[in-house]
Amino acid sequence: MRIAIAQNNYIVGDIQHNLELIKASLAKAEKAGAELLVLSELSLSAYPPEDLLLRSDLYWLIDSALEELRQLNSKVALVVGHPEKVGDKLFNSASLIHKGQLLACYRKQLLPNYSVFDEKRYFTPGDKDCVVTINGVKVGILICEDLWFPEPSAACKAAGAEIIVSPNASPYYFGKGHRREEEIGARAGENQVPILYVNQIGGQDELLFDGASIAYDANGDTIFVANEFEEDFVLFEFDNIHNTLVTERSTSVQLHDEAEIWQALVLGTRDYIHKNGMTGALLGLSGGIDSAVTLAIAVDALGAENVNAVMMPFKYTASMSIEDATAEAQALGIEFDIISIEPMYNAFMAQLEDKFKGTKPNVTEQNIQARARGVLLMALSNKFGRIVLTTGNKSEVAVGYCTLYGDMCGGFNPLKDVPKTLVYKLAEYRNTISPVIPERVITRAPSAELAPDQKDEDNLPPYEILDPILEAYVEQDKSIAEIVALGFDEAVVRRVIWLVDINEHKRRQSAPGVRISSRAFGRDRRYPITSGYGRQFK
């Protein structure tokens, strides 16, 4: 049997757009002589549709699309994912359509309800296996989570499956590919049955889907991995007599470390902007490392002609910052402006003079600088229709080293889940492609430049210490005692955790950003704003 897989970039809720992608893939499969085409999980609605699933009109569109696919009367059997409503129950389903007939409909049995997943909020679990004979081959269908546990695949094999095809919507985080290969490969080896694992690609709000669809032989060995962060279409030959699955195409070269993360950030940024109907981006370019990396991501995602930046100096801004921001803009070929915030700041201070009389300058005056910049950026955004990209990294967002309605002002944050130490590595990686970030931006001490001779380390531990503490607390949920046992000073650990806990209100109001870690702020890590939990450990 000749089997095709299509790794497409769908848009959540845009049923017509997704239908056209599916029809194009089906036409390609027909031309290639495929007998079976497998798509990703919920391919008609795209994943995750969230509370769109609660709308009754969604199912009129889904049913109409399924009927259109049926009426194509294709000789290629099609496995297409979609939400299915039966009475008052809703299922995560995959239908098999062949020669104008709906031959089977499999309903996902294991519903993930952890991390970024909340399928039990919507779906009812299925309770039946699905093995269908297509052109003499017994094909089993399982959906995503079903393959992460032994029972569904064992039952599928027991029901006679000679090969298992699996539609998936598996969100990306760094290192996820290795976990997939090990876990799903184990299912193939346990049952001595080849598995085709088909993933979607593309950004969806904070989630990113990396594709990297995988083929396993009957021993559980990975024989093919599709392109990462790109649409892909691959043909396989399955020989059920000899229990072999092969493809003529060589496996895609897999990206590693910073290159992988860079492509993830670029795709997530591009899709958020394009799928929301925008074409261009705007950001404040400070001459620092974070804005430099954000600018390079934006240009790689959108093209230089669709990105512009503005440097907004104040009396504390170093001349090297203006020089380096200008050099970055010139290297990337973007539109660039310099607009001083000093007149705006002075106007604010003049209006507040009576109210502030008798008080000493503190963080208030620093925040007014940041908010003046936010006003400028949002005015330019409104006037010229470009989304503002914020530039705060995960380390800053975690401890609240950012200003609400100031440098947090904007619509999307590419670095939201990128720790500061990784920002530096990404800068060095991007410079291996083309030199766009001046060396002294990478080597100089980081500073918000909101006060004379200010350095980040005046307020925070060095990032080499801060980042591992944050990883242990935020991503691994370790306690104070467990983090101290890793070799960190207890007073530093307690202060960092206190900063994380008291700044939840800022993160709730922050822009969405690309998720690249196994525990990101946002839909992944959900903590109460009002909480006395940390007081018990002081």
Side-chain angles (χ1 to χ4, degrees):
M1 170 183 279
R2 176 168 273 198
I3 306 173
I5 64 169
Q7 182 175 281
N8 292 329
N9 190 343
Y10 302 107
I11 299 177
V12 164
D14 193 338
I15 311 304
Q16 189 60 42
H17 170 84
N18 299 337
L19 176 62
E20 294 305 316
L21 283 179
I22 291 167
K23 287 163 66 176
S25 296
L26 191 58
K28 196 170 184 178
E30 288 175 339
K31 186 175 180 179
E35 299 164 81
L36 172 65
L37 171 63
V38 186
L39 305 172
S40 57
E41 181 178 6
L42 294 184
S43 42
L44 270 175
S45 65
Y47 191 98
E50 300 185 90
D51 278 12
L52 290 178
L53 291 167
L54 305 179
R55 298 194 58 86
S56 59
D57 46 4
L58 173 72
Y59 300 96
W60 306 339
L61 298 170
I62 292 291
D63 291 345
S64 176
L66 286 170
E67 178 62 17
E68 188 169 339
L69 289 172
R70 188 187 67 78
Q71 290 185 7
L72 291 175
N73 198 29
S74 175
K75 294 179 181 179
V76 179
L78 173 66
V79 175
V80 56
H82 59 91
E84 178 196 15
K85 194 163 190 178
V86 181
D88 60 352
K89 292 183 178 180
L90 180 60
F91 298 95
N92 182 337
S93 300
S95 287
L96 177 62
I97 300 171
H98 193 204
K99 297 179 180 178
Q101 300 296 316
L102 175 63
L103 296 185
C105 185
Y106 172 71
R107 295 165 178 168
K108 187 175 182 178
Q109 298 180 63
L110 301 183
L111 304 176
N113 217 65
Y114 53 85
S115 183
V116 300
F117 303 103
D118 52 6
E119 291 196 22
K120 289 183 180 179
R121 173 180 172 88
Y122 307 105
F123 297 116
T124 297
D127 58 5
K128 292 183 174 61
D129 304 314
C130 182
V131 178
V132 184
T133 300
I134 305 171
N135 295 350
V137 176
K138 293 181 179 179
V139 178
I141 303 173
L142 294 173
I143 299 176
C144 203
E145 189 80 359
D146 294 333
L147 279 177
W148 289 80
F149 295 88
E151 293 78 12
S153 51
C156 206
K157 172 68 174 181
E162 297 172 287
I163 185 172
I164 293 174
V165 297
S166 178
N168 289 263
S170 180
Y172 168 82
Y173 60 78
F174 182 67
K176 182 76 171 285
H178 299 297
R179 281 205 63 207
R180 291 186 195 125
E181 290 193 41
E182 291 176 3
E183 197 67 43
I184 313 306
R187 302 292 88 78
E190 290 162 3
N191 297 286
Q192 291 293 290
V193 58
I195 294 177
L196 275 177
Y197 171 104
V198 186
N199 196 18
Q200 74 177 32
I201 76 143
Q204 172 56 33
D205 296 340
E206 294 181 301
L207 297 184
L208 183 71
F209 299 87
D210 57 324
S213 300
I214 312 172
Y216 304 87
D217 66 17
N219 295 318
D221 295 324
T222 299
I223 59 171
F224 180 83
V225 181
N227 291 336
E228 293 179 281
F229 311 112
E230 296 178 14
E231 291 189 311
D232 208 353
F233 180 91
V234 190
L235 287 168
F236 297 88
E237 294 285 349
F238 174 62
D239 181 348
N240 63 329
I241 303 299
H242 300 96
N243 201 24
T244 58
L245 180 67
V246 297
T247 179
E248 294 180 358
R249 210 182 95 180
S250 59
T251 192
S252 301
V253 176
Q254 299 303 288
L255 302 168
H256 294 287
D257 301 341
E258 287 79 24
E260 176 184 311
I261 294 170
W262 189 267
Q263 291 303 316
L265 297 173
V266 167
L267 176 60
T269 301
R270 178 191 299 129
D271 272 8
Y272 186 86
I273 292 172
H274 285 174
K275 289 181 179 181
N276 281 293
M278 296 171 282
T279 57
L282 162 73
L283 68 146
L285 197 57
S286 69
I289 188 76
D290 298 315
S291 63
V293 171
T294 302
L295 176 63
I297 291 169
V299 170
D300 286 359
L302 307 171
E305 69 279 9
N306 295 311
V307 179
N308 59 292
V310 56
M311 169 41 127
M312 297 166 285
F314 189 58
K315 61 185 177 181
Y316 304 131
T317 303
S319 59
M320 76 169 71
S321 296
I322 299 174
E323 293 165 6
D324 290 342
T326 302
E328 292 156 17
Q330 291 174 344
L332 287 163
I334 64 157
E335 179 184 335
F336 177 63
D337 295 287
I338 299 177
I339 305 174
S340 172
I341 64 165
E342 206 146 349
M344 298 173 62
Y345 176 85
N346 291 338
F348 277 121
M349 294 307 296
Q351 290 298 104
L352 292 166
E353 184 178 4
D354 290 342
K355 197 68 180 174
F356 283 6
K357 191 173 182 178
T359 67
K360 294 181 179 180
N362 59 8
V363 72
T364 303
E365 286 76 11
Q366 297 183 33
N367 285 339
I368 290 173
Q369 296 170 51
R371 289 177 179 134
R373 292 184 172 112
V375 169
L376 269 175
L377 288 171
M378 289 311 300
L380 293 169
S381 173
N382 292 160
K383 183 63 69 175
F384 299 107
R386 293 193 165 184
I387 186 173
V388 174
L389 299 179
T390 65
T391 60
N393 59 70
K394 188 173 188 176
S395 309
E396 294 171 348
V397 170
V399 297
Y401 194 61
C402 45
T403 304
L404 272 176
Y405 326 120
D407 57 323
M408 294 180 69
C409 185
F412 193 72
N413 183 358
L415 299 183
K416 185 175 183 178
D417 199 32
V418 182
K420 185 77 167 191
T421 49
L422 180 55
V423 173
Y424 285 103
K425 293 178 182 178
L426 290 173
E428 292 170 347
Y429 163 74
R430 181 57 181 81
N431 276 350
T432 66
I433 300 173
S434 61
V436 296
I437 301 173
E439 183 61 26
R440 69 179 176 184
V441 173
I442 299 173
T443 57
R444 69 184 287 201
S447 169
E449 293 192 325
L450 297 172
D453 301 316
Q454 186 179 51
K455 301 290 185 293
D456 288 6
E457 289 186 14
D458 296 340
N459 300 285
L460 301 173
Y463 288 108
E464 294 76 13
I465 295 173
L466 177 62
D467 282 355
I469 293 175
L470 291 173
E471 180 179 0
Y473 184 64
V474 173
E475 297 181 24
Q476 301 169 7
D477 284 321
K478 290 187 181 296
S479 67
I480 292 173
E482 289 172 319
I483 299 172
V484 171
L486 295 174
F488 297 102
D489 179 81
E490 182 173 344
V492 172
V493 171
R494 287 185 177 276
R495 182 168 181 272
V496 169
I497 289 176
W498 176 75
L499 287 170
V500 172
D501 290 349
I502 66 168
N503 282 291
E504 185 62 36
H505 71 287
K506 286 189 179 182
R507 291 188 291 273
R508 289 286 185 95
Q509 298 177 71
S510 65
V514 187
R515 174 183 183 258
I516 63 163
S517 75
S518 60
R519 193 82 182 280
F521 293 119
R523 64 179 290 148
D524 203 359
R525 184 184 188 270
R526 300 174 233 181
Y527 269 60
I529 295 174
T530 307
S531 171
Y533 182 75
R535 299 173 195 162
Q536 301 166 78
F537 303 103
K538 288 185 177 179

